[in-house]
Amino acid sequence: MAILSKLHELMSLPGAVAAGEFSEDGRLLSYTGDISEKAAEIAALMAAANRAIGNMQAKGWSAYTGKDGFYPVQGFAVAAGKYAACIMGNVGVFVELSKADFDKTFEVLSKYV
């Protein structure tokens, strides 16, 4: 699926304010929505860094418990204030907490993993 159609679909989610795609190293590839390009660049870095930290923690948890299945991290959400960043793979969407449908958001995001 083309990047723009992914982002268009993500922007149709309840509460969506911005969506983007980023590289493994956190470089912004594309974005749309009600944030500046600089904010989108910072969001891309944050998403890649949080995924890397999550993977490190998942590997540690697997080693500690002796159970597989925690790694690799597929997605995550970070919520603060009025917004949440929901990420799966290299695609993410910012949503307003009061309007978001997290089940639907992660259902759509899971198509891009």
Side-chain angles (χ1 to χ4, degrees), residues 16-28:
V17 294
E21 187 163 19
F22 57 95
S23 66
E24 292 292 320
D25 65 354
R27 190 172 29 87
L28 180 65

Side-chain angles (χ1 to χ4, degrees), residues 15-16 24 46 90 113:
E24 292 292 320
M46 178 274 307
N90 288 14
V113 176

Side-chain angles (χ1 to χ4, degrees), residues 10 25 31 65 78 88 90 100-101 103 110:
L10 291 169
D25 65 354
Y31 85 99
T65 63
V78 177
M88 285 197 84
N90 288 14
D101 177 341
D103 289 334
S110 70

Side-chain angles (χ1 to χ4, degrees), residues 2 12-13 24 27 31 44 62 71 74 83 87 96 109 113:
S12 72
L13 290 166
E24 292 292 320
R27 190 172 29 87
Y31 85 99
S62 293
Y71 176 82
Q74 293 182 14
Y83 301 97
I87 314 296
E96 290 183 58
L109 282 168
V113 176

Side-chain angles (χ1 to χ4, degrees), residues 48-65:
N50 276 286
R51 189 181 55 225
I53 291 166
N55 278 322
M56 179 271 305
Q57 292 170 330
K59 283 182 180 181
W61 187 249
S62 293
Y64 180 74
T65 63

Side-chain angles (χ1 to χ4, degrees), residues 21-45:
E21 187 163 19
F22 57 95
S23 66
E24 292 292 320
D25 65 354
R27 190 172 29 87
L28 180 65
L29 300 177
S30 182
Y31 85 99
T32 188
D34 191 22
I35 61 174
S36 68
E37 184 172 357
K38 188 65 174 171
E41 289 172 350
I42 292 168
L45 284 170

